[in-house]
Amino acid sequence: MGLIVCKFGGSSVASKERIEQIVRILRMDANRRCVVLSAPGKAAASDAKVTDLLLAAVDKALNRQDYAEPLAAVKARFAAIYEPLGMAKAAIDAALGDLDSRLCSPANHPGKFRDLVVAAGEDLNSRIFAEYLNSAGFRARYVNPKDAGLFVTPTFGDAQPLPEAAANLSELKGICAGEIAVFPGFFGYTADGDVATFSRGGSDLTGAILAEAVDAAEYENWTDVDGIFCAHPHMVDSPAQISALTYKEMRELSYIGFNVLHEEAVRPVMRKKIPIRLRNTNNIANSGTLIVSERLPDERDVVGVASGGGYCSFTLQKFLMNREKGFGRRLLSIFEEMNLSYEHCPSGVDNVSVILDQGQLKPETVNNIIRAFDDKLAPDEVSTEFGIALVSVVGEGLVRKVGVLAQAAGALSKAGVNIKMANQGSSEISMIFGIDASDEKKAVNALYQEFF
């Protein structure tokens, strides 16, 4: 087997015991030669995530307040993890001294300052962990993203990798031939040499970028769950684990409610058809969930049921709307001009609905939208509805199977769930139902019982 890229999430690096577990995982397979680390997360419910502590320090620094408390808490977390592993306090303190320098940097550009400080969680963890691996008998090397060529756009807080990054990072194969490369997740460098972070959870994306660059045989994403389940455990008691699903199915599931993997992390590995395996750091006996380009045709037609609340709809009625050229373009341009994205746009002959994520709206937004409708579209009637949940049935087998829409609608009907909207994508691997948010759990359970 070829090179394996392993990404360990925040919960997987949150304590001495979990760092020791990572070492055991690395010893189990000599092909695990490239390790991507997140900042320490929660080992216990009372813990604060290091990233959250760093954000608190940033907020205080930008408001010219004393940030000594969150800074001390960050340093205490690293000491509590690594000192019991036998790491010298002086070595840990030397690495953590970099955090003081970052917080003393110019803060005239808040986004740039924020990213510089927040990225320290991953960066310092990777530096210290590489030293620990060497003390544990491995040959390991911390790799700085700037030196390795992980260049990104200067969109602070939501950076994207530049095209040349993959070619630059391919040089890591040489390091991995003789050492374990320890690479910090979550951030890269702009062309001007500034630190810029991906969106929250972006260490998943770092791992995917590296997997593509080094032509990995597999990208392992280690977290605190056994894999992906057919439904969310908060909705269904003890749902079945999915053994394998496709990249497309993963994207459809993550669109509504399945947030196991950063939504942008699939694209880099898709390009080279590199399998992603989601695994539990604390349960290495479980082989996890495999995400691949193709799966066996005799596996489930439906792989999962996903759901999410917090949506709203705007429905316009207008007689002969279907004959009015440019109506749809003008309708959607209203949302574009207000910097709003839409989810779905089901329509009839004389009516059309636009489904939005309600979280985008400000108190004045709804009124502004309706005024714009009146000015630009002159509808006969406009109605709004809030508190909508979307429930999705996903599976590539839906393309081959007859009657799944009727089967799903029948299950919802038997459960007493009223369907407000139904939409099947052109890819035919998912169907989405709009329902009242109060029926979300009931709907998910009805669909789960029907298909699983």
Side-chain angles (χ1 to χ4, degrees):
M1 188 174 181
L3 177 64
I4 298 173
V5 173
C6 310
K7 177 262 174 180
F8 293 93
S11 61
S12 299
V13 295
S15 68
K16 161 191 174 289
E17 292 75 19
R18 294 179 188 179
I19 294 293
E20 289 175 326
Q21 181 74 334
I22 293 175
V23 170
R24 283 191 282 271
I25 290 168
L26 295 179
R27 291 195 195 279
M28 286 169 58
D29 192 332
N31 292 306
R32 293 180 174 126
R33 308 293 297 173
C34 185
V35 175
V36 177
L37 295 187
S38 294
K42 292 187 176 188
S46 58
D47 289 339
K49 295 180 179 180
V50 163
T51 298
D52 289 338
L53 292 170
L54 291 169
L55 284 168
V58 167
D59 185 59
K60 288 182 178 296
L62 290 174
N63 288 289
R64 299 184 179 180
Q65 297 173 353
D66 184 7
Y67 52 76
E69 185 177 342
L71 175 60
V74 170
K75 293 183 176 182
R77 282 297 308 279
F78 278 106
I81 294 168
Y82 285 102
E83 283 186 22
L85 292 169
M87 290 284 293
K89 185 176 185 301
I92 298 170
D93 290 344
L96 294 175
D98 180 55
L99 182 53
D100 297 289
S101 301
R102 294 181 189 226
L103 280 162
C104 292
S105 300
N108 53 308
H109 188 306
K112 190 183 297 186
F113 176 74
R114 171 198 171 279
D115 282 14
L116 176 66
V117 175
V118 174
E122 281 75 11
D123 200 37
L124 297 177
N125 197 30
S126 299
R127 289 176 188 270
I128 299 170
F129 180 74
E131 286 196 41
Y132 173 66
L133 281 184
N134 282 307
S135 69
F138 292 85
R139 290 188 63 204
R141 184 197 305 188
Y142 159 78
V143 179
N144 183 291
K146 185 177 183 180
D147 297 337
L150 178 47
F151 295 115
V152 299
T153 58
T155 314
F156 298 98
D158 193 19
Q160 296 292 317
L162 291 174
E164 60 266 29
N168 296 339
L169 292 165
S170 66
E171 299 298 320
L172 283 174
K173 284 188 272 191
I175 296 175
C176 293
E179 300 172 278
I180 292 178
V182 181
F183 202 102
F186 188 44
F187 72 94
Y189 283 81
T190 69
D192 293 331
D194 297 312
V195 171
T197 66
F198 303 129
S199 56
R200 193 75 185 257
S203 293
D204 289 344
L205 177 55
T206 304
I209 293 167
L210 294 186
E212 178 193 24
V214 301
D215 294 309
E218 191 168 284
Y219 169 33
E220 292 182 337
N221 194 294
W222 294 84
T223 179
D224 55 1
V225 293
D226 286 338
I228 302 173
F229 298 93
C230 296
H232 199 292
H234 290 165
M235 292 286 172
V236 174
D237 291 335
S238 303
Q241 183 179 327
I242 301 172
S243 59
L245 72 165
T246 67
Y247 301 127
K248 290 179 182 178
E249 289 170 334
M250 180 65 208
R251 287 287 296 132
E252 293 287 344
L253 287 170
S254 63
Y255 165 63
I256 305 176
F258 278 51
N259 299 316
V260 179
L261 193 69
H262 191 280
E263 63 178 2
E264 296 168 24
V266 174
R267 185 187 297 174
V269 292
M270 275 182 68
R271 286 192 283 254
K272 290 189 175 179
K273 296 182 173 56
I274 297 167
I276 306 172
R277 190 181 293 275
L278 300 178
R279 297 192 65 177
N280 190 342
T281 311
N282 306 311
N283 184 17
I284 56 179
N286 190 307
S287 59
T289 295
L290 193 64
I291 307 172
V292 289
S293 59
E294 295 287 340
R295 60 185 177 90
L296 293 173
D298 59 346
E299 292 173 351
R300 294 185 187 275
D301 293 316
V302 174
V303 296
V305 178
S307 68
Y311 295 92
C312 64
S313 70
F314 292 83
T315 300
L316 291 80
Q317 300 276 350
K318 188 173 187 181
F319 185 61
L320 297 180
M321 180 189 76
N322 61 312
R323 296 189 185 178
E324 192 171 326
K325 293 180 176 63
F327 188 91
R329 175 186 53 78
R330 297 199 307 278
L331 168 63
L332 295 180
S333 71
I334 290 170
F335 295 97
E336 182 183 6
E337 288 163 8
M338 295 185 184
N339 198 32
L340 300 171
S341 60
Y342 78 99
E343 305 295 328
H344 299 281
C345 194
S347 65
V349 177
D350 295 325
N351 61 78
V352 60
S353 297
V354 182
I355 312 294
L356 304 178
D357 180 344
Q358 201 170 305
Q360 303 176 88
L361 306 183
K362 297 177 181 177
E364 69 276 11
T365 308
V366 175
N367 189 67
N368 291 342
I369 290 171
I370 294 173
R371 286 187 65 186
F373 287 166
D374 290 340
D375 292 343
K376 297 182 178 182
L377 302 170
D380 299 331
E381 183 184 339
V382 176
S383 59
T384 59
E385 187 167 0
F386 300 91
I388 295 172
L390 298 182
V391 181
S392 179
V393 176
V394 175
E396 295 220 17
L398 299 185
V399 178
R400 302 182 297 272
K401 192 168 182 179
V402 176
V404 180
L405 181 58
Q407 190 180 353
L412 293 175
S413 176
K414 278 187 259 182
V417 176
N418 181 43
I419 299 171
K420 300 174 182 293
M421 179 272 290
N423 185 34
Q424 183 162 15
S426 57
S427 66
E428 295 188 22
I429 70 167
S430 71
M431 56 186 68
I432 296 173
F433 300 96
I435 61 170
D436 192 282
S438 62
D439 288 332
E440 182 182 355
K441 187 168 184 176
K442 188 198 299 185
V444 171
N445 274 274
L447 292 170
Y448 181 83
Q449 293 302 323
E450 181 69 28
F451 292 108
F452 299 101

